Amino acid sequence: MENTEVKSDRCQTGIPGLDEIVDGGFPRGRTILLKGECGTGKTIFAAQFLHNGIVKYNEPGVLVLLEQNINYFKKDVAAFNFQIDELEESGKLVIIDASLSRFNLTDTATKSTKSFSLTSRDLIGTKEVVDIIIDAAKELKADRVVIDSLPALDNLVRSKENVRDVILYMNYRLQSKGLTSILVSDILEHRSSDIEGYVSDGVILLRYQPSGPDAGRTLTIQKMRGTKHSGNIHPFGFKEGVGVEVMEAED
Ligand SMILES: Nc1ncnc2c1ncn2[C@@H]1O[C@H](COP(=O)(O)OP(=O)(O)OP(=O)(O)O)[C@@H](O)[C@H]1O
Ligand SMILES: [Mg+2]
C-alpha cells in the first residue's frame, strides 16, 4: 500500500530549545547553512539533527562526511548517545564517507553494507556528487541530508565550477527532492563575500568565545526563509546524552 502519510511543513530538529525559536522546526525541504569557526559544535549539531530525525520522527537521513574520519566521528558523538552504528544497521542512516577521497585513499571502516566510501575518482564534478547523494536518499526514502562540510566539497570537486553555481545547483537538487538539508561551513576570515549564505534558505551561526566577558557558546538564526524566527543571540551548551541544548536569550 502506498504511504499516504502527509508530513508536516516543519522538519523538527528535536534539539532542545531550537524548534521553539524557528516556529516549530525548519521549514521542510529547505537548505540550512550551519556556519561557525572550528570547534563551535557544527558536527555535533548536525549529527543530532540526523539522530533525532531517525529516533524521534522516523525520518531517515544521509550524512556526507567530507572532513572527519568516520571512526572518530562515531566515537565523538557517542558521548551524546548518538549510536551511529545502530542507526546504520537499522537501515535509516547512510554515511557517504569521502573523508579520505582527496588523497585517493579508501577505508573499509564502516560495518554497514549501505554506507560506503568514495574515492577521488567518484568526485569528478558537482553533478556526480549530488547524484550520489540523491540516489542514496532515494533508496533510503530519506527526509534529511547533512553535508559536513561544504568547503571540503569545494576542494574535492576539482573543476572550474563557480562556487555560487555549485551551491545553487546543490540546493536546487536537494530541494526538488523535498530534502531538508544542513550544509556545514566554516568561516573563512579572508573571504569577502558570504556566497553560501545568500543562496541558502536559512543560516545558523554558532560562536564560541573561550574567555572574557562574552565567554561561552552562542547560536544565532541569521536568516530563515519562510518562517518567523528569533533574532536574538541564544547561549547554548552540550549536554551528555542529549547533544546541543539551546537556552533562551539573555536580556
Ligand atoms: N563529550 C563532550 N562533552 C562536552 N563538550 C564536548 C564533547 N565533545 C566535544 N565537545 C565540544 O565540542 C567541540 C567540538 O564540536 P564539533 O566537532 O561539533 O565542532 P565543529 O564546529 O564541527 O568543529 P570543526 O570545524 O573543527 O569540524 C569540542 O571542541 C568541545 O569543546
Ligand atoms: Mg566538524
Side-chain angles (χ1 to χ4, degrees):
M1 206 174 85
E2 207 171 304
N3 184 1
T4 51
E5 184 196 353
V6 178
K7 299 232 181 251
S8 102
D9 69 340
R10 294 295 161 153
C11 180
Q12 286 171 267
T13 65
I15 294 173
L18 182 63
D19 293 324
E20 298 89 304
I21 62 170
V22 289
D23 206 25
F26 294 155
R28 192 174 290 283
R30 303 289 189 125
T31 53
I32 315 294
L33 183 74
L34 178 63
K35 67 177 192 177
E37 288 174 1
C38 65
T40 47
K42 303 180 298 293
T43 297
I44 296 168
F45 181 114
Q48 195 173 354
F49 172 71
L50 291 175
H51 168 269
N52 289 351
I54 296 165
V55 171
K56 297 187 175 184
Y57 309 111
N58 194 26
E59 294 186 5
V62 175
L63 170 63
V64 187
L65 266 190
L66 286 158
E67 277 186 346
Q68 210 176 350
N69 174 291
I70 189 166
N71 288 325
Y72 284 116
F73 163 74
K74 288 178 178 180
K75 277 192 194 127
D76 290 353
V77 301
F80 304 106
N81 217 9
F82 308 155
Q83 303 299 338
I84 301 298
D85 283 335
E86 284 177 22
L87 299 180
E88 287 181 285
E89 280 154 23
S90 75
K92 295 193 171 164
L93 175 71
V94 160
I95 301 179
I96 301 173
D97 174 17
S99 57
L100 293 171
S101 55
R102 78 183 78 180
F103 308 113
N104 209 13
L105 294 168
T106 52
D107 195 349
T108 49
T110 176
K111 281 200 264 171
S112 159
T113 50
K114 284 199 168 172
S115 295
F116 54 93
S117 299
L118 297 181
T119 70
S120 59
R121 280 187 300 277
D122 299 313
L123 298 168
I124 45 180
T126 311
K127 184 178 177 305
E128 287 74 15
V129 175
V130 180
D131 282 346
I132 291 168
I133 298 168
I134 301 258
D135 283 351
K138 198 170 159 189
E139 205 188 314
L140 207 66
K141 295 190 170 58
D143 295 287
R144 303 177 182 216
V145 168
V146 165
I147 299 175
D148 188 0
S149 71
L150 216 49
L153 178 74
D154 191 35
N155 289 337
L156 287 171
V157 179
R158 293 190 192 92
S159 66
K160 300 273 180 293
E161 294 165 308
N162 171 297
V163 185
R164 187 186 172 99
D165 290 347
V166 167
I167 299 165
L168 271 175
Y169 176 76
M170 191 177 278
N171 284 359
Y172 166 75
R173 293 281 310 278
L174 295 169
Q175 286 167 347
S176 71
K177 298 291 172 197
L179 293 160
T180 309
S181 310
I182 292 182
L183 310 182
V184 173
S185 184
D186 50 17
I187 300 170
L188 301 173
E189 296 302 337
H190 61 266
R191 201 164 56 196
S192 55
S193 65
D194 179 15
I195 300 161
E196 299 103 323
Y198 285 114
V199 299
S200 299
D201 295 310
V203 179
I204 297 179
L205 174 66
L206 303 185
R207 278 191 192 280
Y208 174 51
Q209 187 66 41
S211 58
D214 296 328
R217 297 181 188 275
T218 60
L219 175 149
T220 313
I221 315 283
Q222 284 193 337
K223 155 178 170 181
M224 193 70 64
R225 288 181 186 143
T227 186
K228 60 180 181 183
H229 62 83
S230 164
N232 297 328
I233 299 170
H234 293 263
F236 77 91
F238 298 116
K239 192 173 172 185
E240 213 176 304
V242 174
V244 169
E245 191 178 42
V246 181
M247 272 72 92
E248 280 182 27
E250 289 153 4
D251 293 323

